[in-house]
Amino acid sequence: MIAVWILLGIAALIVLLLVLPLRIYLHYDPQSGLQYQVRYALLTLADSSKPKKPKEEKKPAAKKPASAKKPAKEKKKKSGSGKSPVSSLLSFLGLDDISTAAKAKQSISEKGLLETVGNVFAALKDLFSRIFRLAGKGFFRSFDLSIVVGDSDAADAAFSYGTICAAVYPLLTLLDSAMKFRDRNVDIRCDYEQPATTARFDGQFCYRPCHVLGFAFGLIWRYIRQTIRKEGNKS
């Protein structure tokens, strides 16, 4: 019975860790620039305000005899024979036929250009749809954007104000359709007495780790299904 309670406690702890939100604090102003802080529960995972540790100077390595350099060359040849990151990514997306230039030519000659391009677009469409669904799981707990447009010339200030509004509001509409906002305040105004444009932003973005794990497992399961299907077609 004690073992059952221990297992239930571990399961509850895992669920709690997956449900607790990952909080990303963002701040921008002209003086300090972009500042960020990433926190999970009581832990601070990243903080741009903390000074970076100075890098330790590496001591010059002792010279090795000429005979010791041969294994290093062999290692380079072996590592060069491996797949590149782009090739590995294409294979993970189920596009192993076009992961290299040689395989792409072979795929086009066997399947045709239209079918090959169609497979590429289908894989990219599925990937981006998963990314947008993942983005929709996050939400802004707070979103405060303030832009005061100013210029020494009133005509230039009015033109800059129109340009900024034409860029910011469509972007906010796109973000609003992709993710949720708990508290959003946007203030864009023109001040003809101000000599230059200033901007300030404060935001808190929250994400739950369970959604990221679900996204990763979805890609892995898709890769396994495509591998099994490919092996079945070969047999």
Side-chain angles (χ1 to χ4, degrees):
M1 190 66 184
I2 296 177
V4 175
W5 284 109
I6 292 174
L7 291 176
L8 289 176
I10 294 174
L13 179 61
I14 293 173
V15 171
L16 181 62
L17 292 175
L18 292 176
V19 171
L20 284 176
L22 180 72
R23 293 167 293 171
I24 304 173
Y25 297 89
L26 300 172
H27 171 78
Y28 173 81
D29 62 67
Q31 288 75 27
S32 60
L34 180 63
Q35 302 288 330
Y36 64 88
Q37 187 182 57
V38 181
R39 302 190 65 183
Y40 178 69
L42 301 177
L43 302 176
T44 301
L45 303 180
D47 191 350
S48 60
S49 62
K50 291 183 179 179
K52 296 182 179 180
K53 295 181 180 180
K55 295 183 179 179
E56 297 180 356
E57 295 182 358
K58 295 183 178 180
K59 296 180 179 180
K63 293 183 178 180
K64 296 181 179 180
S67 59
K69 294 182 179 179
K70 293 182 180 179
K73 292 181 180 179
E74 292 178 358
K75 288 182 180 179
K76 287 183 180 179
K77 290 181 180 179
K78 289 181 180 180
S79 61
S81 62
K83 289 185 176 181
S84 64
V86 176
S87 177
S88 300
L89 177 61
L90 290 173
S91 298
F92 182 73
L93 294 176
L95 298 172
D96 187 60
D97 292 339
I98 59 169
S99 58
T100 61
K103 289 185 177 181
K105 291 179 181 179
Q106 183 181 358
S107 176
I108 292 174
S109 62
E110 293 179 355
K111 300 178 182 179
L113 179 61
L114 292 178
E115 185 177 352
T116 303
V117 174
N119 291 338
V120 173
F121 278 105
L124 292 177
K125 181 181 178 182
D126 180 76
L127 177 62
F128 282 115
S129 65
R130 291 174 183 271
I131 291 174
F132 277 113
R133 286 199 300 268
L134 177 65
K137 301 295 183 180
F139 63 92
F140 276 98
R141 190 179 295 274
S142 61
F143 186 96
D144 296 318
L145 175 64
S146 175
I147 301 176
V148 180
V149 183
D151 199 288
S152 56
D153 187 1
D156 291 340
F159 178 78
S160 299
Y161 174 75
T163 303
I164 291 173
C165 289
V168 172
Y169 284 114
L171 181 59
L172 290 176
T173 303
L174 179 62
L175 288 176
D176 197 17
S177 62
M179 56 189 63
K180 299 177 182 179
F181 291 83
R182 296 284 179 85
D183 183 17
R184 183 175 67 179
N185 297 311
V186 179
D187 180 22
I188 303 176
R189 65 180 187 275
C190 189
D191 188 353
Y192 295 105
E193 296 181 356
Q194 185 167 299
T197 300
T198 58
R200 181 184 177 90
F201 174 74
D202 288 287
Q204 180 185 351
F205 186 72
C206 298
Y207 228 102
R208 288 186 171 86
C210 58
H211 297 141
V212 180
L213 287 177
F215 172 77
F217 284 136
L219 289 179
I220 293 171
W221 176 243
R222 180 180 181 272
Y223 174 71
I224 292 173
R225 282 190 307 169
Q226 289 186 348
T227 303
I228 295 173
R229 190 182 307 165
K230 186 176 180 181
E231 293 296 331
N233 293 333
K234 286 183 179 180
S235 61

